[in-house]
Every structure is written in structure tokens, then in C-alpha cells.
Amino acid sequence: MIKIEMPKPNVVIYQRQQELKEGDVPITPYFGFIDFHKITRDKGGIFLFYNKANEVLFVGKARKIRQRIKKHFEDNVSPMKNHRDEIYKIEVYEVEDAMEREIYETYAINQFKAKYNVDKVFY
């Protein structure tokens, strides 16, 4: 039997409003998220989208994580296109090796029963 354990996420961002103090410059939210800058621009990995009930909505992988996550909010072909308003939390795991990304993605889709993934589903 193969045992796989998910690593700890490198970044977790939540959909929220910016709390401004006197003199702060407001950040324009990107689909309700103001912390996209915390997601690495040049590294590969996997990401999980969650709803407010902490249920996994979608699991994905990419060679450049931030760019791929943004595509899910912009693309008309994304499986999340009709469900973007449900995304409340994004977890990002930096995984540079392509084979490891593939394994973690498939594992997470099936372990957490991602609601909107249609490929790599074995449950």
C-alpha cells in the first residue's frame, strides 16, 4: 500500500475585505482576494479552492501557480467559471517536481472528494 501525506500549505489566502488604518492605501480586491501577492509567481505546485464550509471545491496544479489560479477567475473554459463566487479560501503548496505535482493533485482530488474536478476522479 502506498501512503501519501499532504504537506503543509506554503500560503493560505482568504476572501476578505481590507482593514484600512489611517494613511493606508486600499488594495483593489481580485475576486474578493487581496493577498494574491503572497502566492509565488515563479514556482510550481498544487492549489486547493475551498468554500466557507471548508469543503474542497477544486484541486489544480501548475508550473506557475499564481498565473494558473488567476486563469481560473478569468477563463471562460475553467471548470470553476460558474462557481467562482463560492471560493472562500485558497491553499497553495509549492511542489517543483512535475511528477510529485501530478501525484499530489490526483491524491487530493480523491482524498478530499473535490466537488468540481471531473478528471482523475476514482471515487
Side-chain angles (χ1 to χ4, degrees), residues 37-55:
H37 65 280
K38 293 181 179 179
I39 300 172
T40 183
R41 183 183 303 257
D42 298 324
K43 292 191 178 181
I46 66 166
F47 55 90
L48 283 73
F49 292 153
Y50 290 84
N51 63 13
K52 283 190 176 184
N54 212 36
E55 299 167 322

Side-chain angles (χ1 to χ4, degrees), residues 16-27:
R16 62 186 177 89
Q17 297 295 317
Q18 182 182 12
E19 297 172 21
L20 293 175
K21 297 177 184 147
E22 189 176 328
D24 284 351
V25 176
I27 299 171

Side-chain angles (χ1 to χ4, degrees), residues 62-77:
R63 285 182 290 144
K64 295 187 178 187
I65 307 172
R66 186 191 315 177
Q67 182 180 358
R68 185 68 189 110
I69 290 172
K70 283 186 167 187
K71 283 271 190 208
H72 277 289
F73 288 100
E74 298 165 351
D75 267 356
N76 289 328
V77 295

Side-chain angles (χ1 to χ4, degrees), residues 15 28-34 36 70 73-74 84-85 87:
Q15 187 180 62
T28 304
Y30 190 80
F31 287 92
F33 292 91
I34 60 171
F36 262 92
K70 283 186 167 187
F73 288 100
E74 298 165 351
R84 293 174 181 141
D85 57 336
I87 301 170

Side-chain angles (χ1 to χ4, degrees), residues 6 46 48 50 54-57 59 91 93 104-115 123:
M6 290 294 290
I46 66 166
L48 283 73
Y50 290 84
N54 212 36
E55 299 167 322
V56 176
L57 299 174
V59 179
E91 286 185 351
Y93 301 80
Y104 279 128
E105 180 194 34
T106 303
Y107 174 78
I109 289 169
N110 291 283
Q111 182 68 26
F112 305 124
K113 296 184 175 23
K115 191 173 180 179
Y123 58 88

